[in-house]
Amino acid sequence: MEKKYILYGIMTLWGLSSCVEDEGNYELLPVNEAVVSNVEDEYNKLSYVETLSISPVIEGSMGKLDESKLEYDWFICNNGVSDHVHTHIGSEKNLEYPLDIAPGTYYLYLQIKDKTTNLKWEKRVKLNTQSQFVRGFYLFGDKSDGTCGMDFVSMVKDRDTVVVKDIFTNSVNMKGAQDLVFSGDSWNNKSVSLWAVTESGSYSIEYSSIQSSFDVREEISEDKFIFPTIEVTRPLKVINTYPHAFGSSNQSLSATNRLLLTEHDIYGTSIYDEPEAYGNPVNRYSASSSDLYKVSPYVFYPGNSQGFYRVTVYDKTNECFTGFNSYYYSSSYSRKYSNDTETPFYFDQTHYSPVRTLVYGENGYGNSGRSYALMTDANGAYYVYGFIASTTPSKQFAYEMDLSVAIDFEKATHYAFFSMQSVVLYAVGSQLWGYDYVRKDAKMLKDFQSEITYLAMDYNSNDTPTDLIVATYNASEKGIVRKFTITDDPNKIEITPHEKEVWNTDLKVAKVEYRNSAF
């Protein structure tokens, strides 16, 4: 190693010094430089969760340094920001720095000073911090006091999955969790939104992944985005927004078309070059009508497609499936399907006696994105319809359920359709059942010994149609969220647990919502 020298008593050197030459009568002394090791050039951590621990080893380039004569200072710099500053974060050799900083790229500087000679040396390292909220599942539900809470199952790449608890501030003290809707990303990010639906109303929730916790965005209300020329029911309670994010990468289903479903109506818009704004509701049968039908809380479209141009809704006032006159939803109105026949079921449920009505609807991933409708009538009979939403939906089947086989089906609180087979899952208290509506076979799949509070297929997080999620709750264990795989076999109904995907929460979970978004 090339030796460095100091003109002792005359100069103070910053950084790595060079040889000092002078024609005067001075003594040139070699410098025993500080050499830093046991420090990485780059660190990758999670913001708001982890602590950065660095224990440097300091050695001399010419022999042992007297560390009692050394002083240490650590600085952090948000490099690349125009108004960046170096912030002092430590005065000890070893750094223990809780990363309560926004996700981003930073640089750390360790400055070492020899108090005897005033020589200084500097070591720079790069720090990348990620958000723990980029990928995973929101868990939305009620705390033991009845107020709404939220946890997040963080699934950051190359990290262990962890449950980040109590991330929701809930400054408005909302209660009675019902649903949580994350719209995902779009090409221009105009449609990104997170809505909490509760007994008292709906609330726009902060969703930026750079935050450490989240609260209600009180300045955002869909009442402010809707400008009808006819009378509508206010205040509006958002039930859902469409399209939802699609697949494990959370792609938006549409760059422009949006549908907003409220407790009473449904609205359409385009956000191509404009901010989100809605006109008259589309649940009416002419552009000049002010007669609005009651819309069900489901919108049917192919669940395995990124398209969102032809959808089906259900008119609960007139008890019929209906579509829109145009896929330009901002100027649409409803239209009934013509040439309706009983093969294999009517769109208009008033053709049946007693009249049938919609209980539950779901869009599947398998079988060309088939949609499912669970119907019932005044006699207590239940029926399953299968169809593919389009300009005129393609009807595929209708089956009456055998309630002597599907035990306690009429008592079910949650449903889910396995799109690869003719199986509907349903929850009765603590029991999870499966019923094959073609073979008319039923099986009690598991008794959790705790109330089932949530049941749904999960074909987004792993891009597979065979995963399902079940959430349970009891006073002693609190909430538990579990994933299973259902066997893709036409001759049996069977589920297998994911042993490593069991997450504990203090919440009585009402919704498990997947997210994969850096925004």
Side-chain angles (χ1 to χ4, degrees), residues 268-281:
T269 193
S270 171
I271 55 172
Y272 186 77
D273 287 318
E274 302 296 333
E276 185 178 11
Y278 300 89
N280 286 322

Side-chain angles (χ1 to χ4, degrees), residues 398-419:
Y399 293 98
E400 181 175 0
M401 299 187 63
D402 186 343
L403 298 185
S404 68
V405 175
I407 304 299
D408 290 335
F409 189 84
E410 68 280 1
K411 299 177 183 178
T413 54
H414 302 84
Y415 315 93
F417 283 92
F418 177 33
S419 62

Side-chain angles (χ1 to χ4, degrees), residues 342-448:
E342 195 177 5
T343 307
F345 62 87
Y346 287 112
F347 290 126
D348 186 347
Q349 301 298 291
T350 64
H351 286 306
Y352 297 107
S353 181
V355 174
R356 298 176 187 177
T357 188
L358 179 68
V359 175
Y360 173 76
E362 182 177 322
N363 299 310
Y365 182 89
N367 284 296
S368 301
R370 178 190 292 157
S371 294
Y372 300 87
L374 177 64
M375 315 297 294
T376 191
D377 62 24
N379 289 337
Y382 283 85
Y383 307 85
V384 176
Y385 295 168
F387 61 93
I388 296 176
S390 185
T391 303
T392 299
S394 173
K395 302 176 187 178
Q396 297 198 324
F397 59 75
Y399 293 98
E400 181 175 0
M401 299 187 63
D402 186 343
L403 298 185
S404 68
V405 175
I407 304 299
D408 290 335
F409 189 84
E410 68 280 1
K411 299 177 183 178
T413 54
H414 302 84
Y415 315 93
F417 283 92
F418 177 33
S419 62
M420 301 304 293
Q421 300 294 337
S422 54
V423 173
V424 57
L425 303 168
Y426 64 99
V428 180
S430 63
Q431 297 180 349
L432 175 65
W433 285 79
Y435 173 75
D436 189 316
Y437 44 83
V438 174
R439 293 190 298 115
K440 299 194 181 301
D441 179 35
K443 182 180 180 181
M444 201 269 281
L445 300 171
K446 186 174 180 62
D447 190 337
F448 292 92

Side-chain angles (χ1 to χ4, degrees), residues 59-110:
E59 299 175 309
S61 61
M62 298 174 57
K64 185 176 181 180
L65 283 171
D66 185 353
E67 291 198 37
S68 67
K69 297 179 180 180
L70 299 181
E71 291 181 342
Y72 304 93
D73 286 290
W74 288 90
F75 298 87
I76 190 170
C77 170
N78 52 335
N79 190 66
V81 180
S82 60
D83 59 347
H84 74 277
V85 294
H86 288 253
T87 302
H88 187 264
I89 60 173
S91 298
E92 302 292 333
K93 182 177 76 169
N94 295 337
L95 179 68
E96 292 290 326
Y97 180 50
L99 295 172
D100 293 329
I101 54 177
T105 299
Y106 301 85
Y107 283 95
L108 295 173
Y109 298 87
L110 168 60

Side-chain angles (χ1 to χ4, degrees), residues 178-232:
Q178 294 178 335
D179 202 355
L180 188 74
V181 181
F182 180 64
S183 68
D185 297 345
S186 71
W187 66 281
N188 57 6
N189 304 325
K190 290 183 179 181
S191 65
V192 182
S193 63
L194 182 65
W195 286 90
V197 185
T198 71
E199 291 176 357
S200 59
S202 55
Y203 304 83
S204 177
I205 307 297
E206 294 170 334
Y207 58 81
S208 173
S209 65
I210 69 171
Q211 297 175 210
S212 60
S213 61
F214 306 88
D215 200 1
V216 173
R217 298 195 297 172
E218 295 189 67
E219 75 282 4
I220 303 296
S221 168
E222 287 294 1
D223 271 300
K224 300 178 181 179
F225 300 157
I226 295 179
F227 308 97
T229 60
I230 62 176
E231 184 177 351
V232 298

Side-chain angles (χ1 to χ4, degrees), residues 143-160:
K143 300 181 179 180
S144 57
D145 63 0
T147 61
C148 295
M150 192 185 301
D151 294 345
F152 192 78
V153 180
S154 180
M155 306 170 76
V156 178
K157 185 179 180 181
D158 299 326
R159 299 275 178 165
D160 290 337

Side-chain angles (χ1 to χ4, degrees), residues 25 31 39 46 57 75 105 142 148 180 194 215 278 294 307 320 350 364 459 472-473 495:
N25 295 319
V31 177
V39 177
L46 292 179
V57 174
F75 298 87
T105 299
D142 290 333
C148 295
L180 188 74
L194 182 65
D215 200 1
Y278 300 89
K294 169 73 172 174
C320 65
T350 64
Y459 56 77
T472 61
Y473 184 86
I495 60 171

